[in-house]
Amino acid sequence: MKILVVGKGGREHALLTAFNESPTETELYSFPGSDAIAEIATRVEVAGLDELIAWMLANKIELCVAGEESYLVTGEGLANLCEKEGIPCWGPHFQSAQLEASKEFAKEFMLRHDIPTGAATGCADIEEARAAINGVYPTVLKFDGLAAGKGVAVCPDEATAEEFLNEVLVERRFGEGRLLVEECLIGPEVSVFAAVVDDKYLIFTPARDYKRALDGDHGPNTGGMGAVASRQLVSQELLDQIEQEIVKPTVDGLVKDNLPYRGFIYFGLMITEAGPKIIEYNCRFGDPECQAVMPIVGGDLAQFCFDGAKGELNSDLLSFSEGWSVCLVRASAGYPETSRSGDVITGFGDVEGARVYHAGTRKNANGEWETNGGRVLAVVAGGDDRTSAVKAAYAQLEKVTFPGMLSRTDIGTFNF
């Protein structure tokens, strides 16, 4: 099976590794890919989506998988272009991907379909935003568009709110777009993933992401400094409630609103005193949650995604281990405000009993791995229980080092 995965980070490295290990024989390709991904998938060098579609047709690609979200809403949209040419695509159409591309669109969808969420007000400028906040803190401020996981601020007071409002609505750090002022929900966060095929779905192993840069959930928001995944993360009773109140109404709402969906969907949830409420949707697997979840997915992911892209949800193709998986991110100096490239990474060969997924790395002229981005890599290890999985992951993370590296020390222990 000839599969092309669109994206270049740790999530795509994890997905391609899972496809490579699937029982179905695969021939793997990536766009734009990375030096690390190139060790298991051939890099495709084209100038954009139109050229990529032409390349897939010429090379008889049988499945296109959307890893990175931006391509779903670039131009006509990756899935729309694939459909036009008869290429099965595991990823939603442009209009459906607005659930991630526009926070305001997503909020209106949730309210329309009675899906539990926080109250919110859409704002066009800083005056409207100040009026919507109305002196109530803490408040959550969200840039309406895509911002690589950095367009959200939880503001405890007026000073932090003003700083973020200025960044988004005056300096336009993330480009043109509106802003959402949202009720601050309190409780532990949980990420739930599902594979959606039209009106059917399969829930994957739940995960918990650690967004803040520093231990104890301090510091600025990042793309994610680590994650844990396990079927034991939430009770079966709570998972059933999440399915009935959030997952199923979302899938039913997509069908009702005529929003075609075949692909992964991420439900970012807050478990409040009033029950689970949805914070946001992502129209693909999370990063770094994907790196935590993939090692505990068994079966044939390649065949599952291929069948799903063609309209069949074959849940029997997959299984999920009952243990724990812990993902630890190493970031480069200055992250998340800046990043530093060119620092030589050592210790990959010393890692035992764990997986290493590359996110921001490259090979230098001497054939050494070096940093090439903010989040550089993730080390992932598992165990029958959370404590042993945390211990195993940190033991292996210690072996992979580079100058200026940043990591949290409480992944898998904080918030438990």
Side-chain angles (χ1 to χ4, degrees), residues 13 54 236 241 300 314-315 361:
H13 195 194
Q236 188 59 50
Q241 185 181 2
D300 196 336
N314 288 328
S315 303
T361 67

Side-chain angles (χ1 to χ4, degrees), residues 17-355:
T17 299
F19 292 148
N20 192 44
E21 294 172 354
S22 292
T24 294
E25 190 175 339
T26 56
E27 191 175 309
L28 302 175
Y29 299 86
S30 68
F31 167 81
S34 67
D35 288 349
I37 287 172
E39 296 188 342
I40 54 172
T42 303
R43 294 181 79 170
V44 178
E45 296 183 11
V46 294
L49 278 188
D50 289 337
E51 283 192 26
L52 181 64
I53 297 293
W55 184 92
M56 284 194 279
L57 285 171
N59 289 273
K60 297 180 170 56
I61 294 298
E62 295 165 84
L63 174 64
C64 176
V65 176
E68 203 171 300
E69 65 275 14
S70 61
Y71 295 98
L72 295 169
V73 291
T74 297
E76 292 180 50
L78 175 65
N80 305 60
L81 290 168
C82 282
E83 183 181 60
K84 191 183 290 186
E85 298 298 342
I87 303 168
C89 182
W90 186 243
H93 283 203
F94 178 95
Q95 58 271 40
S96 312
Q98 297 307 309
L99 282 179
E100 178 172 4
S102 170
K103 303 291 189 294
E104 205 162 354
F105 177 95
K107 186 65 68 171
E108 289 168 357
F109 176 91
M110 296 170 201
L111 296 174
R112 187 163 61 248
H113 298 290
D114 297 319
I115 299 166
T117 189
T121 304
C123 306
D125 55 46
I126 199 165
E127 287 77 19
E128 285 186 14
R130 287 170 179 153
I133 295 170
N134 197 29
V136 177
Y137 297 98
T139 188
V140 178
L141 306 179
K142 295 181 179 179
F143 175 64
D144 185 50
L146 296 177
K150 298 173 190 167
V152 177
V154 180
C155 302
D157 51 42
E158 184 179 357
T160 51
E162 281 294 320
E163 184 181 354
F164 190 74
L165 290 176
N166 190 62
E167 278 185 19
V168 174
L169 295 173
V170 179
E171 296 172 4
R172 295 292 176 183
R173 175 184 172 190
F174 304 114
E176 292 302 312
R178 289 164 61 84
L179 178 122
L180 219 57
V181 175
E182 191 167 314
E183 173 190 2
C184 185
L185 302 176
I186 305 297
E189 288 190 45
V190 172
S191 304
V192 169
F193 302 92
V196 176
V197 179
D198 304 331
D199 61 342
K200 301 176 289 294
Y201 60 87
L202 172 66
I203 295 175
F204 276 53
T205 302
R208 176 168 292 152
D209 182 18
Y210 291 76
K211 285 285 187 194
R212 297 294 188 125
L214 306 176
D215 284 7
D217 275 354
H218 296 294
N221 261 345
T222 73
M225 294 299 291
V228 298
S230 176
R231 305 292 273 189
Q232 304 170 51
L233 188 62
V234 297
S235 68
Q236 188 59 50
E237 182 183 20
L238 178 55
L239 194 58
D240 289 343
Q241 185 181 2
I242 290 167
E243 178 177 1
Q244 292 306 312
E245 295 181 6
I246 294 171
V247 178
K248 188 176 187 303
T250 295
V251 175
D252 291 346
L254 289 167
V255 174
K256 190 173 181 181
D257 290 355
N258 195 29
L259 296 171
Y261 210 107
R262 291 178 184 174
F264 293 121
I265 190 167
Y266 158 106
F267 302 85
L269 307 173
M270 190 74 79
I271 312 303
T272 73
E273 288 184 356
K277 295 189 177 185
I278 183 162
I279 306 167
E280 65 173 349
Y281 293 112
N282 288 165
C283 294
R284 34 74 189 184
F285 234 103
D287 185 337
E289 296 100 324
C290 183
Q291 293 91 303
V293 171
M294 281 300 124
I296 51 180
V297 176
D300 196 336
L301 187 69
Q303 189 66 46
F304 175 84
C305 292
F306 176 76
D307 290 350
K310 299 191 79 171
E312 292 181 54
L313 184 76
N314 288 328
S315 303
D316 292 345
L317 287 170
L318 299 183
S319 61
F320 304 94
S321 87
E322 294 299 317
W324 287 78
S325 177
V326 175
C327 167
L328 308 175
V329 169
R330 283 255 196 254
S332 67
Y335 183 76
E337 288 85 0
T338 61
S339 63
R340 194 168 79 191
S341 296
D343 291 314
V344 173
I345 308 164
T346 59
F348 284 131
D350 299 326
V351 173
E352 298 174 304
R355 294 176 180 272

